[in-house]
Amino acid sequence: MAETLPEMRSVYAQTLVEIGAQDPRIVVVEADLMKATGTGPFAKAHPGRAINVGVAEATLASVAAGLSVEGKIPFAATFGCFASRRAFDQFFLSANYAGLNVKLVGTDPGVAAAFNGGTHMPFEDLALMRVIPGLRIVEPSDPVSLAAYVHLAAETYGCVYLRLQRKAAPKLYAEGERFEWGRAKLLRDGRLDGKKEHAVVVALGAIMVGEALKAADLLAAEGLGLTVIDALCLKPLDSSLILEAARRSGRLLTAENHQASGGLGSAVAEAVAESGLALRFARIGIKDEFGEVGTQDWLQDRFGLRAANIVAAVKSLN
Amino acid sequence: MEAAERLSLEAFAKEIRIATIESIANLGVGHIGGAMSIVDLLALLYGRVLRVDPARPTWEGRDRLVLSKGHAGPALYSALAIKGFFPREWLATLNKGGTRLPSHCDRLKTPGIDMSTGSLGQGISAACGMAKALQIDSSASRVFCIIGDGESDEGQVWESAQFAAHHRLGNLVVFTDSNRLQIDGYTDEVMGLGDLEAKWAAFGWYAQRAPGHDVEAIDAAITKAVVEARGRPSMIVLDTIKGKGCSFCEGDPANHNMNISAEQARAAIAALA
């Protein structure tokens, strides 16, 4: 690809710089990971509105809530493991229970934590966040959707958990594509030659959406159509789009860089069970294990987060 | 402070105590001890110090109060009701299903409550965020916050201590209700806190100690803080008695959350009147 891909964190920071120029209520809150999150440009553009709390994630969430009480729109970021496990009670009570407007950003989702290893590898952040009433949860899959959801988060009153991959991700959407809360995107129509698709996969996040698209290519070469849905929002979940697509072939899979239980797999399973549809169903995700250290590539192999795993799972659904 | 004002604030405190005992006794159980220990502070704050308007509880120019020890809500509700933030009849609904006065403070339910609290350590952190926002906006509003000494076991309190000092939150005044009791017993026995005043000073705060049931002394400490803090956040450690003014439980280590009979309440109110 001729175009150099921007890092997702640069897109996050640049989008906040732009929104912050229009809206003085936007503030950035960091817990000594500003260098990792990449929000330095915001601090430069809007001095006084970038607040560092030090290595104190509990305070990160509660201070953000306090800023929100006074009408600020805080974007608070830290590694996803800390945003969820370490600051859960603070995000739950100070921000969500209190009805405030805190945007919590959890970076380095799942295997993206790579060399930081199992201690820093959030395979459970989505499961935790999903039980907070009314919380919006989104994992953008490319730079365009990321910028769009940062805009939406700033414009929409209420708490948001945004799962952010810091590294570059290929563009999947054209500039100007419109996104909404609770709306997934049909990214690849698997109905080859006018026939209904063989199966549907719902994927969450840049890594698994990318693997799902590769799986669709592999299966297409064998004459099997795989429809790929980019979930984007875990909550609210676009169950109508997912179920409508799944109804045609009767085969549905989920793919996530997270425990297969508690996150997307569970959310979709619940929707399927309550829909009354009889479907063959499989989940790609972590199978009740802790993370470990390695390259992201090695970890994707280790935990079965590959196109080949999706292909095998599709074929197992007969 | 003139003698007449002192008497008036002391009468307000008595009224808060009576309303609090009544509302908790009405249910039969509640956090009486830690509610009674902050009553004199509340009387001073709502009777003299805070710039607030009961008719406009979210008025932007008001001073804020975060009751970080959220379980003392019933005392604060009494003060707010007496000041006219909401009808006094609401006090009889304390902790009953559908009430707007829940055991722990809830900003969405109660006029005059600036922040939801209850998980200890979070309120002071949120107060820091509020003070930071007001600092960014160059607001003249101040943020007052009340924490417990038992609450000070929480690490988040000390994270907040660092945050407020680092960000020079001179618009933040925090009180520690140092009643020396927590649920499992005396603070010295459960988890020793050392010299709280010295600890806060070491964190870069302007720290003072004052007798917490003397409205004039607390007022003098607040006035002194305004002059002396010079951009630093202020801590005023208040020496208090848990259950103060409640005849059947004053100083009783078991008074954190206790059953109260109608007869006990009547006797306590008679003793106050």
Side-chain angles (χ1 to χ4, degrees):
Chain A
M1 195 178 285
E3 191 187 354
T4 312
L5 294 170
E7 287 188 313
M8 292 282 268
R9 63 176 175 176
S10 306
V11 174
Y12 171 69
Q14 201 49 45
T15 307
L16 285 177
V17 168
E18 289 161 19
I19 301 173
Q22 305 296 317
D23 190 339
R25 296 173 300 169
I26 304 289
V27 293
V28 156
V29 195
E30 297 281 351
D32 196 37
L33 282 174
M34 183 175 274
K35 284 185 180 162
T37 315
T39 50
F42 184 93
K44 204 168 174 187
H46 308 298
R49 281 156 59 193
I51 298 157
N52 209 319
V53 304
V55 190
E57 292 78 15
T59 288
L60 174 84
S62 291
V63 161
L67 288 159
S68 168
V69 169
E70 299 303 333
K72 304 295 178 199
I73 304 175
F75 280 77
T78 179
F79 289 156
C81 49
F82 306 136
S84 56
R85 303 198 301 254
R86 186 143 197 156
F88 186 76
D89 188 37
Q90 286 75 16
F91 186 52
F92 180 97
L93 198 164
S94 294
N96 284 269
Y97 180 85
L100 292 166
N101 191 23
V102 174
K103 320 302 173 183
L104 185 62
V105 177
T107 69
D108 302 52
V111 292
F115 291 134
N116 272 328
T119 55
H120 286 55
M121 200 159 285
F123 285 160
E124 61 292 312
D125 56 328
L126 297 174
L128 288 163
M129 294 296 174
R130 206 160 73 81
V131 292
I132 299 181
L135 177 64
R136 292 180 177 84
I137 304 173
V138 62
E139 185 171 359
S141 55
D142 85 328
V144 177
S145 56
L146 171 58
Y149 277 106
V150 171
H151 273 279
L152 275 173
E155 290 161 10
T156 314
Y157 188 91
C159 290
V160 170
Y161 180 65
L162 189 150
R163 203 175 194 231
L164 176 66
Q165 169 182 319
R166 289 191 284 144
K167 283 178 271 200
K171 257 190 193 177
L172 301 173
Y173 298 101
E175 296 291 344
E177 174 90 21
R178 291 184 60 80
F179 296 86
E180 292 173 57
W181 295 117
R183 295 300 292 274
K185 292 278 186 187
L186 186 71
L187 205 49
R188 174 78 61 91
D189 193 331
R191 287 172 284 189
L192 307 174
D193 308 322
K195 294 182 292 183
K196 70 181 179 187
E197 66 272 81
H198 181 74
V200 172
V201 61
V202 187
L204 183 66
I207 293 173
M208 295 317 293
V209 169
E211 294 297 326
L213 290 170
K214 278 185 221 163
D217 288 340
L218 292 169
L219 287 163
E222 299 181 39
L224 294 172
L226 179 66
T227 286
V228 178
I229 292 174
D230 179 359
L232 291 163
C233 292
L234 174 60
K235 190 178 177 181
L237 182 72
D238 192 352
S239 47
S240 57
L241 178 73
I242 294 165
L243 294 174
E244 185 192 316
R247 182 180 280 121
R248 293 191 295 261
S249 66
R251 295 186 190 89
L252 177 63
L253 299 93
T254 56
E256 65 196 301
N257 172 23
H258 182 271
Q259 295 291 349
S261 292
L264 179 72
S266 289
V268 172
E270 289 158 18
V272 168
E274 288 175 346
S275 73
L277 285 179
L279 297 176
R280 295 298 315 277
F281 179 69
R283 293 172 294 160
I284 303 292
I286 313 303
K287 301 288 163 46
D288 204 27
E289 289 191 89
F290 291 109
E292 58 183 281
V293 76
T295 62
Q296 185 178 305
D297 267 351
W298 186 87
L299 290 162
Q300 280 187 250
D301 289 339
R302 159 73 180 81
F303 289 107
L305 304 178
R306 288 295 193 191
N309 304 103
I310 298 173
V311 168
V314 166
K315 290 182 175 174
S316 75
L317 297 183
N318 285 311
Chain B
M1 187 183 291
E2 289 184 14
E5 184 169 13
R6 181 184 179 116
L7 286 174
S8 155
L9 291 171
E10 285 169 354
F12 182 24
K14 191 177 288 183
E15 204 180 348
I16 295 171
R17 283 201 162 86
I18 291 170
T20 304
I21 294 168
E22 279 174 349
S23 60
I24 291 178
N26 188 38
L27 188 76
V29 64
H31 292 109
I32 187 78
M36 301 307 274
S37 58
I38 64 166
V39 164
D40 302 290
L41 171 62
L42 291 175
L44 173 71
L45 290 176
Y46 283 91
R48 177 177 163 91
V49 174
L50 292 179
R51 288 170 300 208
V52 290
D53 180 356
R56 294 180 297 161
T58 57
W59 166 47
E60 205 176 304
R62 75 193 187 283
D63 290 330
R64 279 67 165 162
L65 177 74
V66 178
L67 184 56
S68 194
K69 43 172 287 183
H71 55 280
L76 179 51
Y77 303 151
S78 297
L80 292 171
I82 293 165
K83 293 301 286 185
F85 280 81
F86 49 81
R88 284 203 55 164
E89 298 77 60
W90 287 19
L91 293 177
T93 70
L94 180 74
N95 285 345
K96 294 179 178 171
T99 186
R100 293 184 66 170
L101 307 180
S103 60
H104 297 80
C105 295
D106 188 330
R107 64 181 290 276
L108 298 177
K109 289 196 160 69
T110 315
I113 295 296
D114 288 317
M115 185 56 193
S116 303
T117 53
S119 186
L120 296 175
Q122 293 188 33
I124 182 173
S125 230
C128 286
M130 293 161 69
K132 180 66 192 173
L134 294 167
Q135 182 193 64
I136 291 171
D137 293 342
S138 303
S139 166
S141 296
R142 298 168 295 174
V143 179
F144 293 84
C145 175
I146 304 171
I147 65 172
D149 49 3
E151 178 177 12
S152 303
D153 293 350
E154 291 280 3
Q156 194 174 357
V157 168
W158 303 101
E159 291 184 3
S160 307
Q162 290 181 158
F163 179 89
H166 180 84
H167 288 273
R168 294 193 62 77
L169 299 180
N171 55 354
L172 177 66
V173 178
V174 180
F175 304 92
T176 299
D177 174 25
S178 182
N179 58 35
R180 298 191 171 270
L181 280 168
Q182 56 194 116
I183 294 177
D184 280 347
Y186 291 96
T187 52
D188 283 346
E189 291 166 5
V190 176
M191 185 51 59
L193 290 159
D195 183 342
L196 278 177
E197 190 185 347
K199 278 166 108 167
W200 285 93
F203 273 82
W205 288 51
Y206 180 66
Q208 305 174 77
R209 183 174 281 280
H213 299 304
D214 180 339
V215 288
E216 196 167 349
I218 307 170
D219 186 57
I222 294 171
T223 304
K224 196 171 174 209
V226 171
V227 177
E228 302 287 340
R230 295 189 302 278
R232 286 172 290 174
S234 279
M235 164 54 68
I236 302 173
V237 179
L238 298 174
D239 290 313
T240 58
I241 297 165
K242 200 163 179 175
K244 172 71 178 176
C246 190
S247 59
F248 58 86
C249 75
E250 183 173 312
D252 178 355
N255 72 15
H256 182 83
N257 188 19
M258 66 189 298
N259 294 324
I260 298 174
S261 70
E263 196 174 323
Q264 283 175 315
R266 268 195 300 277
I269 290 165
L272 280 167

PDB file of all heavy atoms in Angstrom, chain B residues 247-266:
ATOM      1  N   SER B 247     -28.048  11.106  72.760  1.00  0.00           N
ATOM      2  CA  SER B 247     -27.823  10.642  74.130  1.00  0.00           C
ATOM      3  C   SER B 247     -27.588   9.145  74.252  1.00  0.00           C
ATOM      4  O   SER B 247     -26.792   8.701  75.073  1.00  0.00           O
ATOM      5  CB  SER B 247     -29.016  11.055  74.995  1.00  0.00           C
ATOM      6  OG  SER B 247     -30.207  10.496  74.464  1.00  0.00           O
ATOM      7  N   PHE B 248     -28.244   8.360  73.414  1.00  0.00           N
ATOM      8  CA  PHE B 248     -28.130   6.906  73.609  1.00  0.00           C
ATOM      9  C   PHE B 248     -26.914   6.292  72.916  1.00  0.00           C
ATOM     10  O   PHE B 248     -26.666   5.099  73.062  1.00  0.00           O
ATOM     11  CB  PHE B 248     -29.408   6.200  73.146  1.00  0.00           C
ATOM     12  CG  PHE B 248     -29.748   6.453  71.699  1.00  0.00           C
ATOM     13  CD1 PHE B 248     -29.207   5.671  70.704  1.00  0.00           C
ATOM     14  CD2 PHE B 248     -30.608   7.496  71.350  1.00  0.00           C
ATOM     15  CE1 PHE B 248     -29.525   5.897  69.377  1.00  0.00           C
ATOM     16  CE2 PHE B 248     -30.930   7.733  70.023  1.00  0.00           C
ATOM     17  CZ  PHE B 248     -30.377   6.938  69.032  1.00  0.00           C
ATOM     18  N   CYS B 249     -26.173   7.090  72.159  1.00  0.00           N
ATOM     19  CA  CYS B 249     -25.057   6.449  71.440  1.00  0.00           C
ATOM     20  C   CYS B 249     -23.807   7.307  71.324  1.00  0.00           C
ATOM     21  O   CYS B 249     -22.866   6.900  70.657  1.00  0.00           O
ATOM     22  CB  CYS B 249     -25.494   6.000  70.051  1.00  0.00           C
ATOM     23  SG  CYS B 249     -25.671   7.349  68.864  1.00  0.00           S
ATOM     24  N   GLU B 250     -23.767   8.467  71.969  1.00  0.00           N
ATOM     25  CA  GLU B 250     -22.597   9.335  71.813  1.00  0.00           C
ATOM     26  C   GLU B 250     -21.331   8.604  72.245  1.00  0.00           C
ATOM     27  O   GLU B 250     -21.253   8.074  73.347  1.00  0.00           O
ATOM     28  CB  GLU B 250     -22.782  10.630  72.631  1.00  0.00           C
ATOM     29  CG  GLU B 250     -21.629  11.594  72.453  1.00  0.00           C
ATOM     30  CD  GLU B 250     -21.882  12.958  73.112  1.00  0.00           C
ATOM     31  OE1 GLU B 250     -22.958  13.530  72.903  1.00  0.00           O
ATOM     32  OE2 GLU B 250     -20.979  13.429  73.825  1.00  0.00           O
ATOM     33  N   GLY B 251     -20.347   8.537  71.332  1.00  0.00           N
ATOM     34  CA  GLY B 251     -19.071   7.913  71.646  1.00  0.00           C
ATOM     35  C   GLY B 251     -19.094   6.396  71.694  1.00  0.00           C
ATOM     36  O   GLY B 251     -18.074   5.763  71.946  1.00  0.00           O
ATOM     37  N   ASP B 252     -20.233   5.813  71.413  1.00  0.00           N
ATOM     38  CA  ASP B 252     -20.359   4.351  71.456  1.00  0.00           C
ATOM     39  C   ASP B 252     -19.694   3.745  70.214  1.00  0.00           C
ATOM     40  O   ASP B 252     -20.078   4.059  69.092  1.00  0.00           O
ATOM     41  CB  ASP B 252     -21.859   4.011  71.485  1.00  0.00           C
ATOM     42  CG  ASP B 252     -22.123   2.505  71.492  1.00  0.00           C
ATOM     43  OD1 ASP B 252     -21.159   1.725  71.378  1.00  0.00           O
ATOM     44  OD2 ASP B 252     -23.306   2.132  71.600  1.00  0.00           O
ATOM     45  N   PRO B 253     -18.701   2.857  70.406  1.00  0.00           N
ATOM     46  CA  PRO B 253     -18.018   2.268  69.249  1.00  0.00           C
ATOM     47  C   PRO B 253     -18.957   1.494  68.323  1.00  0.00           C
ATOM     48  O   PRO B 253     -18.605   1.201  67.189  1.00  0.00           O
ATOM     49  CB  PRO B 253     -16.984   1.331  69.880  1.00  0.00           C
ATOM     50  CG  PRO B 253     -16.794   1.827  71.267  1.00  0.00           C
ATOM     51  CD  PRO B 253     -18.108   2.426  71.681  1.00  0.00           C
ATOM     52  N   ALA B 254     -20.142   1.178  68.798  1.00  0.00           N
ATOM     53  CA  ALA B 254     -21.081   0.391  67.978  1.00  0.00           C
ATOM     54  C   ALA B 254     -22.076   1.276  67.226  1.00  0.00           C
ATOM     55  O   ALA B 254     -23.050   0.784  66.667  1.00  0.00           O
ATOM     56  CB  ALA B 254     -21.832  -0.592  68.872  1.00  0.00           C
ATOM     57  N   ASN B 255     -21.832   2.592  67.189  1.00  0.00           N
ATOM     58  CA  ASN B 255     -22.881   3.474  66.654  1.00  0.00           C
ATOM     59  C   ASN B 255     -22.766   3.774  65.151  1.00  0.00           C
ATOM     60  O   ASN B 255     -23.467   4.627  64.639  1.00  0.00           O
ATOM     61  CB  ASN B 255     -22.949   4.785  67.455  1.00  0.00           C
ATOM     62  CG  ASN B 255     -21.766   5.722  67.190  1.00  0.00           C
ATOM     63  OD1 ASN B 255     -21.021   5.541  66.223  1.00  0.00           O
ATOM     64  ND2 ASN B 255     -21.586   6.715  68.045  1.00  0.00           N
ATOM     65  N   HIS B 256     -21.896   3.048  64.444  1.00  0.00           N
ATOM     66  CA  HIS B 256     -21.730   3.366  63.003  1.00  0.00           C
ATOM     67  C   HIS B 256     -23.053   3.214  62.257  1.00  0.00           C
ATOM     68  O   HIS B 256     -23.484   4.101  61.547  1.00  0.00           O
ATOM     69  CB  HIS B 256     -20.652   2.479  62.370  1.00  0.00           C
ATOM     70  CG  HIS B 256     -20.417   2.805  60.920  1.00  0.00           C
ATOM     71  ND1 HIS B 256     -19.595   3.830  60.526  1.00  0.00           N
ATOM     72  CD2 HIS B 256     -20.936   2.276  59.785  1.00  0.00           C
ATOM     73  CE1 HIS B 256     -19.611   3.908  59.200  1.00  0.00           C
ATOM     74  NE2 HIS B 256     -20.418   2.985  58.738  1.00  0.00           N
ATOM     75  N   ASN B 257     -23.645   2.059  62.431  1.00  0.00           N
ATOM     76  CA  ASN B 257     -24.944   1.793  61.791  1.00  0.00           C
ATOM     77  C   ASN B 257     -25.728   0.972  62.784  1.00  0.00           C
ATOM     78  O   ASN B 257     -25.362  -0.165  63.067  1.00  0.00           O
ATOM     79  CB  ASN B 257     -24.731   1.023  60.474  1.00  0.00           C
ATOM     80  CG  ASN B 257     -26.007   0.895  59.660  1.00  0.00           C
ATOM     81  OD1 ASN B 257     -26.966   1.641  59.863  1.00  0.00           O
ATOM     82  ND2 ASN B 257     -26.033  -0.050  58.744  1.00  0.00           N
ATOM     83  N   MET B 258     -26.736   1.541  63.385  1.00  0.00           N
ATOM     84  CA  MET B 258     -27.391   0.831  64.486  1.00  0.00           C
ATOM     85  C   MET B 258     -28.914   0.957  64.447  1.00  0.00           C
ATOM     86  O   MET B 258     -29.459   1.843  63.789  1.00  0.00           O
ATOM     87  CB  MET B 258     -26.860   1.350  65.839  1.00  0.00           C
ATOM     88  CG  MET B 258     -27.229   2.793  66.140  1.00  0.00           C
ATOM     89  SD  MET B 258     -26.361   3.445  67.604  1.00  0.00           S
ATOM     90  CE  MET B 258     -26.960   2.385  68.910  1.00  0.00           C
ATOM     91  N   ASN B 259     -29.548   0.056  65.159  1.00  0.00           N
ATOM     92  CA  ASN B 259     -31.004   0.126  65.304  1.00  0.00           C
ATOM     93  C   ASN B 259     -31.357   1.223  66.301  1.00  0.00           C
ATOM     94  O   ASN B 259     -30.668   1.414  67.298  1.00  0.00           O
ATOM     95  CB  ASN B 259     -31.553  -1.202  65.815  1.00  0.00           C
ATOM     96  CG  ASN B 259     -31.367  -2.308  64.797  1.00  0.00           C
ATOM     97  OD1 ASN B 259     -31.464  -2.073  63.591  1.00  0.00           O
ATOM     98  ND2 ASN B 259     -31.062  -3.500  65.272  1.00  0.00           N
ATOM     99  N   ILE B 260     -32.424   1.951  65.997  1.00  0.00           N
ATOM    100  CA  ILE B 260     -32.872   3.022  66.893  1.00  0.00           C
ATOM    101  C   ILE B 260     -34.369   2.855  67.121  1.00  0.00           C
ATOM    102  O   ILE B 260     -35.151   2.805  66.164  1.00  0.00           O
ATOM    103  CB  ILE B 260     -32.598   4.403  66.260  1.00  0.00           C
ATOM    104  CG1 ILE B 260     -31.096   4.592  66.040  1.00  0.00           C
ATOM    105  CG2 ILE B 260     -33.167   5.520  67.139  1.00  0.00           C
ATOM    106  CD1 ILE B 260     -30.741   5.848  65.289  1.00  0.00           C
ATOM    107  N   SER B 261     -34.749   2.779  68.380  1.00  0.00           N
ATOM    108  CA  SER B 261     -36.175   2.643  68.683  1.00  0.00           C
ATOM    109  C   SER B 261     -36.806   4.023  68.807  1.00  0.00           C
ATOM    110  O   SER B 261     -36.121   5.025  69.013  1.00  0.00           O
ATOM    111  CB  SER B 261     -36.356   1.876  70.004  1.00  0.00           C
ATOM    112  OG  SER B 261     -35.917   2.701  71.075  1.00  0.00           O
ATOM    113  N   ALA B 262     -38.119   4.059  68.698  1.00  0.00           N
ATOM    114  CA  ALA B 262     -38.852   5.326  68.832  1.00  0.00           C
ATOM    115  C   ALA B 262     -38.601   5.928  70.214  1.00  0.00           C
ATOM    116  O   ALA B 262     -38.466   7.142  70.374  1.00  0.00           O
ATOM    117  CB  ALA B 262     -40.348   5.087  68.614  1.00  0.00           C
ATOM    118  N   GLU B 263     -38.521   5.062  71.209  1.00  0.00           N
ATOM    119  CA  GLU B 263     -38.317   5.525  72.583  1.00  0.00           C
ATOM    120  C   GLU B 263     -36.936   6.169  72.733  1.00  0.00           C
ATOM    121  O   GLU B 263     -36.799   7.239  73.340  1.00  0.00           O
ATOM    122  CB  GLU B 263     -38.453   4.332  73.534  1.00  0.00           C
ATOM    123  CG  GLU B 263     -38.638   4.733  74.975  1.00  0.00           C
ATOM    124  CD  GLU B 263     -38.905   3.519  75.859  1.00  0.00           C
ATOM    125  OE1 GLU B 263     -39.605   2.586  75.379  1.00  0.00           O
ATOM    126  OE2 GLU B 263     -38.407   3.512  76.975  1.00  0.00           O
ATOM    127  N   GLN B 264     -35.914   5.516  72.177  1.00  0.00           N
ATOM    128  CA  GLN B 264     -34.564   6.086  72.223  1.00  0.00           C
ATOM    129  C   GLN B 264     -34.537   7.452  71.546  1.00  0.00           C
ATOM    130  O   GLN B 264     -33.928   8.400  72.028  1.00  0.00           O
ATOM    131  CB  GLN B 264     -33.569   5.162  71.497  1.00  0.00           C
ATOM    132  CG  GLN B 264     -33.161   3.935  72.285  1.00  0.00           C
ATOM    133  CD  GLN B 264     -32.273   3.017  71.459  1.00  0.00           C
ATOM    134  OE1 GLN B 264     -32.576   2.755  70.288  1.00  0.00           O
ATOM    135  NE2 GLN B 264     -31.198   2.538  72.050  1.00  0.00           N
ATOM    136  N   ALA B 265     -35.202   7.526  70.390  1.00  0.00           N
ATOM    137  CA  ALA B 265     -35.220   8.782  69.640  1.00  0.00           C
ATOM    138  C   ALA B 265     -35.896   9.884  70.454  1.00  0.00           C
ATOM    139  O   ALA B 265     -35.395  11.013  70.532  1.00  0.00           O
ATOM    140  CB  ALA B 265     -35.943   8.582  68.299  1.00  0.00           C
ATOM    141  N   ARG B 266     -37.023   9.547  71.093  1.00  0.00           N
ATOM    142  CA  ARG B 266     -37.743  10.550  71.883  1.00  0.00           C
ATOM    143  C   ARG B 266     -36.859  11.070  73.024  1.00  0.00           C
ATOM    144  O   ARG B 266     -36.769  12.278  73.255  1.00  0.00           O
ATOM    145  CB  ARG B 266     -39.029   9.934  72.482  1.00  0.00           C
ATOM    146  CG  ARG B 266     -40.263  10.121  71.596  1.00  0.00           C
ATOM    147  CD  ARG B 266     -41.547   9.837  72.374  1.00  0.00           C
ATOM    148  NE  ARG B 266     -41.606   8.483  72.894  1.00  0.00           N
ATOM    149  CZ  ARG B 266     -42.003   7.428  72.180  1.00  0.00           C
ATOM    150  NH1 ARG B 266     -42.397   7.589  70.926  1.00  0.00           N
ATOM    151  NH2 ARG B 266     -42.023   6.227  72.707  1.00  0.00           N
TER     152      ARG B 266
END
